[in-house]
């Protein structure tokens, strides 16, 4: 890649980040669905930068979430200086989830976003954010349908 191509990529990334920051700032306050993966960690870090203490992380736990992932979420939230809520998820009680079909992720995410909406009401947050990427639209992502139904924002 030439230096001019690299500069074009950098400039495009700066613009995308500014757009994401503006979208998050427009929320005023938010609960971020936080798995401690790259995408949700990035959104949480930007939300913390833009919203300060009005950014809150929520991590859902269930038997499907290993203890190491729980610990990683706690550690990352602490390092980012973000209030971190943890809730037990009960997707295993949903027959659609237990059926283990191609839409299993829809049922899991529906439970996650329900927990996020409850937390948003508790803390007075105006929005729920997640780390969904625009290029994820090319993949089969049934969990995104749950996000759309819950009006979760993907900055």
């Amino acid at each position: 890649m030439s230096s001019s191509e690299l500069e074009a990529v950098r400039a495009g990334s700066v613009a995308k980040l500014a757009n994401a920051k503006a979208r998050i700032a427009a929320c005023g306050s938010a609960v971020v669905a936080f798995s401690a993966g790259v995408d949700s960690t990035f959104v949480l870090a930007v939300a913390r930068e833009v919203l300060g203490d009005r950014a809150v992380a929520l991590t859902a736990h269930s038997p499907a979430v290993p203890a190491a992932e729980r610990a990683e979420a706690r550690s990352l939230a602490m390092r980012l200086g973000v209030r971190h809520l943890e809730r037990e998820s009960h997707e295993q009680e949903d027959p659609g989830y237990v059926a283990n079909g191609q839409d299993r992720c829809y049922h899991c995410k529906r439970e996650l976003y329900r927990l996020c909406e409850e937390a948003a009401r508790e803390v007075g947050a105006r929005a729920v954010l997640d780390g969904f990427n625009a290029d994820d639209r090319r993949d089969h992502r049934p969990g995104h349908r749950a996000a759309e139904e819950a009006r979760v924002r993907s900055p």
Side-chain angles (χ1 to χ4, degrees), residues 38-78:
V38 172
D39 300 333
S40 67
T41 301
F42 179 76
V43 170
L44 182 60
V46 174
R48 173 68 170 132
E49 178 184 333
V50 173
L51 300 173
D53 290 339
R54 294 169 293 141
V56 177
L58 181 131
T59 303
H61 300 302
S62 75
V65 179
E69 289 183 23
R70 294 176 186 215
E72 179 70 9
R74 287 181 195 116
S75 175
L76 281 170
M78 187 175 8

Side-chain angles (χ1 to χ4, degrees), residues 3-143:
S3 61
S4 62
E5 290 171 321
L6 282 172
E7 179 54 30
V9 169
R10 188 202 62 77
S13 296
V14 168
K16 288 176 184 176
L17 179 57
N19 183 40
K21 287 180 178 182
R23 288 174 173 225
I24 292 170
C27 295
S29 57
V31 169
V32 177
F34 181 56
S35 68
V38 172
D39 300 333
S40 67
T41 301
F42 179 76
V43 170
L44 182 60
V46 174
R48 173 68 170 132
E49 178 184 333
V50 173
L51 300 173
D53 290 339
R54 294 169 293 141
V56 177
L58 181 131
T59 303
H61 300 302
S62 75
V65 179
E69 289 183 23
R70 294 176 186 215
E72 179 70 9
R74 287 181 195 116
S75 175
L76 281 170
M78 187 175 8
R79 286 174 41 206
L80 291 170
V82 177
R83 180 177 175 194
H84 184 217
L85 306 175
E86 299 183 63
R87 299 289 190 267
E88 288 301 316
S89 175
H90 300 282
E91 71 270 5
Q92 68 276 8
E93 296 171 11
D94 182 333
Y97 177 82
V98 174
N100 202 25
Q102 289 185 341
D103 66 344
R104 177 181 177 165
C105 189
Y106 167 79
H107 300 284
C108 179
K109 293 289 189 177
R110 187 174 63 183
E111 171 70 358
L112 169 64
Y113 298 134
R114 182 189 67 75
L115 294 169
C116 287
E117 288 172 2
E118 282 180 4
R121 284 191 299 275
E122 289 171 20
V123 302
R126 294 178 40 206
V128 173
L129 306 176
D130 73 358
F132 186 79
N133 288 300
D135 63 350
D136 287 342
R137 295 186 200 293
R138 294 183 220 147
D139 297 332
H140 175 67
R141 299 284 181 147

